[in-house]
């Protein structure tokens, strides 16, 4: 979750490092710092809070350095105070280190180093690293770092500079993301590529157990055993404009408005526009996944966290109802410690927006390991669904569905949720076609309806945002919300509640509408609004009945309803109408007004919508 940047080249490092850290603000942080090397000295400046505090301190201490590292910290070990901020130094202030991850054996290393006379100034696990490097340092910084990482247990990515080696930047990765950018006579490193994209799109991602030495002359990559490796950068297909707000007040609102384009990109990538129901020579969906992975499946296990878990619940419904395959969705953080019983011909899917979610990666790795030596029908079949195919997930699993959403800066996921839903629609339809559980005419009908979604989302945005912005003014003092839905839209109720509490800090819970009377109804009164997803389908009448139960307890009712629902006004106090769609596709249109409602309530309260407190975009520690 922490952010790392590094630079070596011909430009002044200070501003490049600060700008890089600003590009990583969306990951979440509580302090920041920069270390540079100039004139044989190490200069380190740190500050608690937002980056403007660090920038203010740096204005009075510019060094003109051409080498440096920077860091935004999200506290794990030690409180978010300046003395715990990165970079951390050795006792003599000659070595600086920034780290993303957790060093699990830091206590024993710290005790060992203290006995040797090393002085510690922070409460963090990271500080053992510069002291270890100092202990091993002689005539090679690279070798000292290599010996150090050999002692570290846990997940980490580090960047190291030393005043005695003014032309070297050393980086290393183990279970935490780290990439290197290749410029003209200059090189960059970062924990996420948005910090690199403004300077170059030629990027090399380090694999686990790899380190690199960056100098003005080039980049050398080694494994932790010290062997030189041959690796080549790839070209990212990102444009720097993608990480700008483009006139929107917040990234989150911009990304909500990007959702029609995301759906279009997904359709263009995976749906065969020329396919017809009587066409036996081609497939309706092109996922690029080998037949051996998807044929003859008996079970599917989906591992995810947060918003990705909600998308996976919709995916479970689609796969079971359309393709007839028993599907289980588990929190990745729980699966490692209580894995499902081994079943034959099982596809395990990891869903993570960033491709770096530590719990999901660890769960997939554990699943691969426990199945790797079993009989063929128990061998691991692994699939990843992510917005970042170049991520650690892409290196861990052999098959990826790229959700094609483009970079998402806002911490609260919006367009990536819709993109994940689209991935599950395509996977479910592909499996249904292979297993012949749906008529080909029905598959064509759903694909035709999917192609209408971009225009329908645009209609919601055009017709509803102004009203929802005004409606948000009425919840300035609200402390609790309840969201309800049934069937496919129960996960959307969960997602609506999550969006609201993530960015507005209002307590919100999502429930199956039928469960209201089994406990949550005790919470209802005139101060607790209920948001009900009541769209046409086989659960519509039941949802309306459940909503009326809430109304009888004086709750204010807000309904996500169909544009053509003339009866809704008799039940709900406020209507959030959406175009009438095929019931199977209702989650995508239902979530849009819920995203807008959460956004405008938070914005009305004057909160930091894009960087809510205590949260990070990529949860890269367990």
């Amino acid at each position: 979750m922490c952010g790392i940047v590094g630079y070596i080249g011909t430009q002044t490092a200070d501003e490049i490092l600060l700008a890089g850290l600003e590009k990583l603000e969306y990951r979440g942080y509580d302090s920041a710092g920069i270390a540079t090397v100039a004139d044989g000295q190490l200069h380190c400046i740190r500050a608690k809070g937002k980056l403007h505090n660090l920038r203010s301190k740096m204005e009075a201490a510019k060094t003109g350095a051409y080498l440096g590292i920077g860091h935004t910290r999200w506290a794990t070990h030690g409180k978010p105070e300046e003395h715990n901020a990165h970079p951390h130094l050795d006792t003599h202030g000659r070595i600086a280190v920034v780290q993303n991850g957790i060093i699990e054996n830091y206590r024993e290393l710290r005790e060992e180093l203290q006995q040797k006379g090393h002085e510690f100034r922070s409460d963090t696990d990271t500080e053992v690293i510069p002291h270890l490097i100092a202990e091993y340092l002689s005539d090679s910084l690279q070798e000292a770092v290599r010996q150090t990482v050999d002692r570290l247990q846990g997940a980490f990515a580090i960047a190291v500079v030393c005043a005695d080696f003014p032309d070297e930047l050393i980086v290393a990765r183990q279970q935490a993301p780290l990439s290197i950018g290749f410029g003209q006579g200059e090189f960059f490193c970062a924990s996420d590529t948005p910090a690199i994209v403004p300077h170059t799109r030629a990027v090399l991602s380090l694999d686990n157990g790899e380190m690199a030495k960056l100098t003005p002359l080039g980049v050398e990559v080694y494994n932790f055993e010290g062997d030189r490796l041959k690796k080549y950068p790839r070209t990212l297909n990102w444009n720097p404009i993608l990480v700008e707000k483009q006139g929107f007040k917040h990234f989150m609102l911009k990304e909500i408005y990007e959702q029609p384009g995301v759906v279009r990109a997904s359709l263009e990538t995976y749906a065969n526009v020329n396919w017809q129901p009587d066409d036996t020579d081609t497939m309706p969906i092109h996922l690029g996944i080998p037949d051996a992975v998807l044929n003859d499946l008996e079970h599917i296990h989906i591992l995810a966290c947060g918003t990705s878990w909600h998308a996976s619940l919709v995916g479970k419904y689609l796969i079971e109802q359309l393709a007839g395959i028993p599907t289980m969705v588990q929190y990745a953080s729980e699966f490692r410690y209580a894995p499902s019983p081994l079943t034959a011909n099982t596809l395990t899917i990891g869903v993570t927006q960033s491709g770096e979610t530590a719990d999901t990666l660890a769960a997939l790795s554990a699943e691969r390991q426990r199945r790797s030596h079993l009989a063929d029908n128990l061998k691991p079949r692994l699939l990843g669904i992510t917005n970042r195919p170049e991520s650690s997930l892409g290196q861990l699993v052999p098959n990826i569905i790229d959700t094609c959403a483009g970079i998402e800066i806002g911490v609260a996921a919006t367009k990536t949720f819709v993109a994940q839903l689209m991935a599950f629609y395509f996977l479910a339809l592909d499996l249904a076609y292979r297993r012949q559980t749906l008529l080909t005419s029905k598959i064509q009908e759903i694909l035709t309806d999917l192609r209408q979604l971009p225009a329908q989302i645009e209609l919601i945005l055009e017709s509803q945002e102004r009203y929802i912005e005004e409606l948000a003014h009425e919840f300035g003092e609200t402390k609790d919300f309840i969201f309800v839905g049934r069937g496919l839209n129960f996960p959307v109720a969960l997602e609506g509640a999550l969006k609201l509490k993530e960015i507005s800090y209002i307590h919100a819970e999502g429930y199956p509408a039928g469960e209201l009377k089994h406990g949550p109804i005790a919470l209802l009164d005139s101060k607790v609004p209920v948001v009900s997803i009541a769209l046409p389908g086989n659960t519509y009448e039941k949802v309306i009945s459940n909503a009326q139960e809430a109304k009888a307890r004086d709750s204010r009712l807000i309904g996500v309803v169909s544009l053509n629902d003339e009866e809704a006004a008799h039940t709900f106090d406020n209507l959030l109408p959406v175009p009438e769609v095929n019931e199977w596709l209702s989650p995508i249109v239902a979530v849009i007004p819920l995203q807008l409602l959460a956004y405008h309530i938070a914005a009305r309260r004057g909160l930091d919508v894009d960087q809510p407190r205590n949260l990070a975009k990529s949860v890269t520690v367990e």
Side-chain angles (χ1 to χ4, degrees), residues 94 98 155 160 210 238 313 332 344 365 416 423 464 471 529 532 542 619:
R94 303 292 288 175
V98 294
V160 183
E210 292 182 352
W238 291 4
L313 292 176
S365 182
T416 53
Q464 287 295 302
L471 181 63
S532 181
K542 298 295 184 183
V619 183

Side-chain angles (χ1 to χ4, degrees), residues 281-320:
D281 295 327
T282 62
M283 301 277 282
I285 306 296
H286 293 306
L287 293 175
I289 300 171
D291 292 341
V293 176
L294 298 181
N295 286 345
D296 304 317
L297 289 176
E298 297 179 34
H299 298 88
I300 292 178
H301 293 166
I302 307 176
L303 309 175
C305 304
T307 286
S308 296
W309 189 73
H310 298 157
S312 299
L313 292 176
V314 176
K316 165 186 165 69
Y317 196 100
L318 294 171
I319 293 168
E320 289 189 335

Side-chain angles (χ1 to χ4, degrees), residues 31-89:
S31 61
I34 282 176
T36 57
V37 175
D39 302 322
Q41 299 296 319
L42 185 68
H43 305 270
C44 184
I45 300 175
R46 303 180 296 182
K48 178 182 176 181
K50 294 297 184 181
L51 280 172
H52 62 79
N53 297 331
L54 178 64
R55 183 178 286 278
S56 297
K57 295 180 73 171
M58 291 184 65
E59 287 295 327
K62 292 186 177 179
T63 64
Y66 302 113
L67 166 66
I69 54 177
H71 191 268
T72 50
R73 176 178 186 258
W74 194 88
T76 54
H77 293 76
K79 293 182 178 180
E81 302 292 346
E82 184 175 317
H83 71 278
N84 287 326
H86 298 213
H88 288 289
L89 312 182

Side-chain angles (χ1 to χ4, degrees), residues 252 254-267 270 306-312 314-315 318 351-353 385-387 401-406 408 412-427 449-458 460-461 489 491-492 495-496 499 584-596 617:
M252 181 179 177
K254 168 180 171 278
E255 288 153 4
I256 289 172
Y257 270 81
E258 287 175 345
Q259 290 176 120
V262 168
V263 174
R264 287 190 180 99
S266 186
L267 285 162
Y270 298 117
T307 286
S308 296
W309 189 73
H310 298 157
S312 299
V314 176
L318 294 171
V351 187
T352 156
Q353 176 278 138
I385 296 178
T386 183
N387 195 36
I401 299 177
D402 180 357
T403 58
C404 309
E408 185 175 66
T414 51
K415 65 176 181 176
T416 53
F417 174 73
V418 166
Q420 288 173 352
L421 292 187
M422 292 296 293
F424 276 117
Y425 281 110
F426 293 133
L427 178 60
D449 291 340
L450 281 168
R451 293 189 181 98
Q452 306 306 312
L453 281 175
Q456 291 165 333
I457 297 172
E458 288 169 346
I460 298 170
L461 295 171
N489 285 307
V492 178
E495 176 63 11
K499 288 286 95 56
W584 292 109
L585 310 187
S586 60
I588 290 183
V589 295
V591 77
I592 308 299
L594 302 187
Q595 294 171 346
L596 289 171
K617 186 63 177 173

